[in-house]
Amino acid sequence: MTKLLHIVFLAVAALMLLPGCAQKEAPQPEEHPNTQEELVKKHLDDTFSKFIVALDPETVEWTAGYLAEHSRVTIFPSGTIAYYFRKDGKTLLTADFRVEDGEWHTKVSFFGGMRMEGTVKPTLSIDWEEWENNWDIDVYDGEDAVAKLGIVSYVYSGQLIPMPVFRFPDGTSYSVTTVLIIEPLIDYLLENVLSTQ
């Protein structure tokens, strides 16, 4: 009897294994090496992500206090305005602005290695496309200029808000929102930065 039960058990186990053995392996997506453009975009994403992670905007409860605690502004005799944002012993952002021939010349460096340099002609317009038409700002990843700074309108919670994009020489745009679309951060921007109240 014990021998019969043992044979039945083995037969049932074999029958249970048969369908698994007969199935073909699921096809795997073909991997292809990244193009140079894809590598540039990925590296820029990784670089900018380091800044966002270090900034840790989700923990900010009081904007004015947060900025006051971590910011410093210096005005030099030449007229250059320098802004520094330091947190946890790290300089997360430096920005230099100077006016020359009616244009703001700006250089902004982010923790992680990304920087932006260029000129901005001031405008009172609330049309974001006009803002972009009035600036010429290159985006650098390390020493290489890889894109231009642009801006697009983004709908969030029924509101139209401006979001930066990197416009690449190949005609594509890479939305910074792929890094920034963290709901607490968007809510923070809407309440404290982009509020019309």
Side-chain angles (χ1 to χ4, degrees):
M1 185 73 176
T2 306
K3 195 171 188 177
L4 180 62
L5 284 174
H6 189 225
I7 291 170
V8 169
F9 174 78
L10 287 175
V12 169
L15 287 173
M16 290 175 64
L17 290 175
L18 276 177
C21 294
Q23 288 180 352
K24 291 183 178 176
E25 197 172 302
Q28 297 296 318
E30 286 186 34
E31 288 188 31
H32 65 85
N34 288 327
T35 65
Q36 186 58 37
E37 290 82 8
E38 289 170 331
L39 289 172
V40 166
K41 293 171 190 176
K42 170 82 171 84
H43 193 261
L44 190 62
D45 185 11
D46 293 343
T47 300
F48 193 62
S49 293
K50 290 176 187 174
F51 167 71
I52 295 297
V53 168
L55 196 61
D56 196 16
E58 294 179 39
T59 61
V60 177
E61 294 179 10
W62 183 44
T63 309
Y66 182 72
L67 291 174
E69 180 183 354
H70 300 293
S71 298
R72 191 180 87 208
V73 176
T74 303
I75 301 174
F76 293 97
S78 64
T80 297
I81 300 170
Y83 172 79
Y84 307 91
F85 188 94
R86 289 186 51 82
K87 182 180 175 206
D88 300 329
K90 300 175 193 166
T91 300
L92 302 185
L93 185 140
T94 62
D96 294 339
F97 306 95
R98 64 182 167 78
V99 178
E100 187 178 301
D101 300 327
E103 292 182 329
W104 283 93
H105 291 256
T106 182
K107 179 179 179 181
V108 182
S109 298
F110 298 87
F111 175 79
M114 188 184 88
R115 76 179 194 280
M116 299 181 193
E117 290 185 39
T119 58
V120 179
K121 293 177 186 172
T123 177
L124 297 177
S125 174
I126 57 172
D127 179 355
W128 294 109
E129 287 182 12
E130 187 173 329
W131 273 79
E132 184 176 349
N133 291 335
N134 280 355
W135 73 47
D136 182 18
I137 300 175
D138 290 308
V139 179
Y140 291 81
D141 188 4
E143 295 303 313
D144 300 320
V146 296
K148 292 278 190 184
L149 181 66
I151 200 158
V152 295
S153 294
Y154 176 80
V155 178
Y156 180 79
S157 296
Q159 292 189 42
L160 201 60
I161 57 175
M163 279 294 177
V165 294
F166 301 137
R167 300 195 189 280
F168 290 93
D170 65 4
T172 60
S173 293
Y174 178 82
S175 175
V176 181
T177 57
T178 57
V179 178
L180 294 178
I181 295 301
I182 304 164
E183 287 192 14
L185 175 58
I186 297 297
D187 291 335
Y188 167 81
L189 290 171
L190 286 171
E191 289 173 22
N192 301 292
V193 179
L194 303 169
S195 173
T196 55
Q197 299 178 9

